Amino acid sequence: MSIEIKIRKNEPIDRALRRMKKKLERENIIKGVRASVTTKSPANAAVAKTRCRPSTCMLRRRHEG
């Protein structure tokens, strides 16, 4: 899906960017991208690491150093 914004004659860039942002919001593209991007906090990463299978953890520790 591609979105095109044509800059009108003598139109400032700021206004064109605002039009593009509104168009993205109308099509829920920004919301979808934000929902797909997940960030992990250090606490969540530690919990996930301890929940992994014991054999996998053992192999990771063996190869880390």
Side-chain angles (χ1 to χ4, degrees):
M1 177 191 305
S2 63
I3 294 181
E4 293 183 14
I5 301 292
K6 293 185 179 178
I7 298 177
R8 299 174 185 142
K9 189 174 183 178
N10 295 328
E11 180 184 23
I13 299 293
D14 297 337
R15 191 170 293 161
L17 288 173
R18 195 175 312 137
R19 282 192 303 121
M20 183 184 72
K21 188 175 179 182
K22 284 183 182 181
K23 196 170 196 178
L24 290 172
E25 286 176 1
R26 269 188 251 128
E27 297 184 13
N28 288 331
I29 293 176
I30 293 177
K31 190 180 286 188
V33 169
R34 285 184 182 157
S36 67
V37 174
T38 58
T39 57
K40 291 185 179 180
S41 66
N44 289 343
V47 169
K49 190 173 185 179
T50 58
R51 286 184 181 171
C52 69
R53 292 190 334 214
S55 60
T56 305
C57 290
M58 181 187 65
L59 291 173
R60 285 183 185 166
R61 276 190 241 119
R62 193 180 293 168
H63 291 290
E64 283 178 352

